[in-house]
Amino acid sequence: MSSENKGSISLLGSSTTHDRNLAVACALELIKADLNSTASHVGNRLDKHMSELSRYADKIETALNKK
């Protein structure tokens, strides 16, 4: 690995930060899939999902860390 790559890896942060970012990204993909599944009441569902985003990410993060 070049020193150039080593520097960029250190900018990624801890594995905890990476796990959280991955969990949030997964939660957003699930929200997107739900919103795309039907056109009715998208605004209301989006608001509900966004208020629950942290909880969704917590559950996904917990699942990712189970061994």
Side-chain angles (χ1 to χ4, degrees):
M1 177 180 295
S2 73
S3 61
E4 185 177 303
N5 288 340
K6 287 179 187 174
S8 62
I9 289 173
S10 67
L11 295 176
L12 294 175
S14 68
S15 64
T16 302
T17 301
H18 174 67
D19 288 351
R20 186 63 181 183
N21 290 342
L22 182 59
V24 170
C26 290
L28 289 170
E29 284 297 320
L30 291 170
I31 290 168
K32 182 171 80 172
D34 179 62
L35 295 176
N36 286 332
S37 69
T38 182
S40 66
H41 308 290
V42 170
N44 292 339
R45 288 187 4 247
L46 177 59
D47 289 341
K48 168 112 174 71
H49 282 311
M50 294 310 292
S51 70
E52 296 290 333
L53 179 59
S54 182
R55 188 175 68 82
Y56 296 162
D58 290 346
K59 288 182 172 277
I60 293 167
E61 191 173 11
T62 298
L64 287 172
N65 290 320
K66 284 189 176 179
K67 295 182 181 182

